[in-house]
Amino acid sequence: ERKASGTVTVSVNASAGGSATVAFPTGLFTAADTLDISLTKLSGGLAKYIPYALGISATGMTVGLYSGDGSNGGGSVAINWTASVRRP
């Protein structure tokens, strides 16, 4: 199974959210792959923030946090991520 995982820290600084870029290992995935993405927010502050992924490609993705209610906050949240090739 082709799979990559790691932890990314997303900073929120007086805005309704924040984001960070994740790069996948070179050559692990191809443009033809359909990827399953799993995000798990680690314990800590900013409990109301919801993790999301966008811009998913063979080379990486953007992981972000949204406050859910549009309000401002501040701090950093570590997010565990996993990307794997979806099996038919």
Side-chain angles (χ1 to χ4, degrees), residues 2-69:
R2 290 180 287 139
K3 182 176 174 179
S5 61
T7 301
V8 63
T9 299
V10 177
S11 296
V12 177
N13 186 9
S15 68
S19 65
T21 301
V22 170
F24 299 143
T26 303
L28 181 62
F29 303 123
T30 69
D33 291 332
T34 300
L35 300 179
D36 282 325
I37 303 296
S38 172
L39 302 174
T40 305
K41 189 169 64 170
L42 301 178
S43 61
L46 304 177
K48 70 178 182 176
Y49 282 84
I50 301 162
Y52 64 88
L54 56 86
I56 301 165
S57 72
T59 59
M61 66 181 166
T62 298
V63 174
L65 288 171
Y66 174 67
S67 68
D69 63 7

Side-chain angles (χ1 to χ4, degrees), residues 58-87:
T59 59
M61 66 181 166
T62 298
V63 174
L65 288 171
Y66 174 67
S67 68
D69 63 7
S71 64
N72 293 333
S76 296
V77 177
I79 299 171
N80 282 345
W81 61 268
T82 301
S84 59
V85 176
R86 180 177 294 167
R87 299 290 178 214

